[in-house]
Amino acid sequence: MTKLIYVAIISAFVNNVVLGQMFGVNAAIKGSEKMSNALRLSLCVLIVTFLSSVITWPLSEFVLGKFNFEFLQTIVFLLVEAIIVAILTAIVNRWFSHRRKIYGRILPLIVINSAVLGVILTNVQVGYSFLRSAVNSVCGGLGFAIAVIILAGVRERIAFNDVPKPFEGVPILLVTSGLMAIAFYGFTGLL
Amino acid sequence: MSLSKRIIRIVIIAVFAFALIFAGYFVTKAKVEENNETKIDAAFETVYPDAASFDEANYRSEYLTRYLTDNGYADDQVHINKITFARNDVRDVQGVVVQVSSYKKYGGIITMLVGIQNDGTVNGYSILHISEAKDLDLKVKDAAFADQFKGVRTEAFTLVNGEAKITGEIIPANGADDASQTVVRAVNASILANTFIDEYYGGVG
Amino acid sequence: MQKKDTIFTRLYHGILVENPTAVLCLGLCPTLAVTTTAKNGLAMGIVTGIVLVLSEFFISLLKRVIPKKDRMIIYVLISACFTTIIQLVLNAYYPDISESLGVFVSLTAVNGVIFGRADNYAMQNNPGLALFDGIGFGIGYTLIITILGAVREILGIGTIFGIRVIPDGYTLSIAALAPGAFFLLACIIAVAQKIKGGRSA
């Protein structure tokens, strides 16, 4: 149990998906424009990462691994993600139709979010057990959420500041992420 | 356009994509296998240059796992994949080559070969694979770090900062503490595996 | 205002006017992650460039049979297909590069540059022009990722393409770590915005 908490802290903080491993930086920058959007994006990433890792782990262990077809991982995992996203879109359209417009914009982009693909590929390539990869993907999703939400919060503040003209837009967000990355290194001391 | 028509188009393109990938796979397959063989041969040569032949040791892996766990090396931190005897030209066992995988603290795995003589002297190691390698991690492949293990006989190596004073102390590769620790753990587990094999075969080989 | 598109304008736009990294800010993940050395940056740029050219060409070729609603999944399939083939080739002939780029070779399949160009260019234009659009943007991407790799290698490790220029012990190790990547890329984009702002003013 302590082992899993340890894994959780590592993947959510010390080796944060966005700030440490640098997966899904574009999605984080784009998604942090508004706090409400950041929350929705994080939720989608979390759900899709978890569901796809639960499906792709056995798929890679018992099907691809058995025939030594590891090279198919990328395309097969992307198809799994796409199917999950299609199902989630159908669920939103059916039961949450008042939200369909908002999620209709977010969900299709999850397929090409490198945070999701990065986490599920790492899980199988490093050779984690099923439980550990499930924990790792939930915490990877949480790590993404933490980064995006903090970034969205900081962005609200930046809006009231005078940023040097050339640094307006993406550069100042990258500088912010860099500072956050330094701060997150501090979590190394926890372990 | 109807749903079934859309799905059919996607499936057709998917079939073409998979066909292309498989074509690429069969073209490169032979070369990849050849690469792997030369890589493993080279690794054996590095860790046991004076051995004439190698053959795989048979042992109950669950016993070894328990032995390692009892000595403080849990299976989710380090795992012995394979043990190979190194024999000289009159087929006497000189020592073992251990294939070991060790997990990095912040995610990632290092798989390597460690050559150990019968008396426990470490010949050195050769890394077969590092996953999630940041470039600094690759410093553990450098001779400056790897040579610290060569020809040393100890029960367990430890990492120290600054200066190595007593036998078995290793200075971590600059900026790659995590990877250094992973390598030290792998070498230590291999030393234990050597002792285990020695006891298992009753020191005969 | 719309001028005639030629091979030359495609290259010019891709490399300078609409540089995918410095101006459009697409595909930042590999740019940040693998640029610890100039060699890695160059290799990643070339891999992305090849996948981009092939994907744009085939998407443009197939543009009439791609249903608008499902274009995303088709793009993903096409780019994943070429990414996997490039990965197999790297494994066979350049195993060192494949190892040091790690999972980021696979992540080329979801690189934003590919989807941006597929949607905004390849779907509206003929395959010949799409091919050169891919080449232009591929070179533009490679250029910036190599520059970032070179700067980080000089500052962080003290070498350039493996040749030592700064003595060991005088390096700025943060440049080799994640925060350094963020800061230096921010500077590169800021320089590009400064140049762009100066010209349009």
Side-chain angles (χ1 to χ4, degrees), chain C residues 41-170:
Chain C
L42 183 64
M44 191 71 224
I46 292 172
V47 167
T48 313
I50 294 172
V51 176
L52 177 65
V53 170
L54 291 171
S55 307
E56 269 206 68
F57 181 71
F58 278 92
I59 288 169
S60 177
L61 212 58
L62 294 171
K63 62 177 178 286
R64 285 185 211 292
V65 293
I66 298 176
K68 253 269 141 346
K69 267 188 169 166
D70 310 310
R71 59 186 200 287
M72 218 46 155
I73 176 77
I74 309 272
Y75 298 165
V76 166
L77 277 172
I78 291 174
S79 70
C81 166
F82 292 121
T83 304
T84 310
I85 291 171
I86 299 288
Q87 192 169 25
L88 288 166
V89 173
L90 280 183
N91 280 343
Y93 299 98
Y94 306 97
D96 295 352
I97 291 176
S98 155
E99 188 157 283
S100 62
L101 297 183
V103 74
F104 285 93
V105 179
S106 310
L107 291 187
T108 308
V110 291
N111 193 308
V113 181
I114 294 166
F115 299 99
R117 292 324 291 164
D119 232 13
N120 296 329
Y121 198 84
M123 282 299 268
Q124 284 102 38
N125 291 282
N126 67 50
L129 280 175
L131 188 76
F132 279 95
D133 186 69
I135 295 175
F137 278 79
I139 295 174
Y141 190 79
T142 309
L143 196 70
I144 300 293
I145 200 171
T146 313
I147 291 175
L148 183 61
V151 173
R152 285 183 69 191
E153 188 178 348
I154 292 172
L155 294 178
I157 310 175
T159 59
I160 172 89
F161 284 106
I163 305 156
R164 184 156 289 284
V165 284
I166 296 177
D168 213 359
Y170 292 90

Side-chain angles (χ1 to χ4, degrees), chain B residues 14-37:
Chain B
V15 167
F16 272 106
F18 274 90
L20 264 176
I21 292 176
F22 270 99
Y25 169 67
F26 287 115
V27 170
T28 55
K29 198 177 170 204
K31 181 73 188 165
V32 170
E33 276 164 7
E34 190 192 313
N35 281 349
N36 285 342
E37 266 169 40

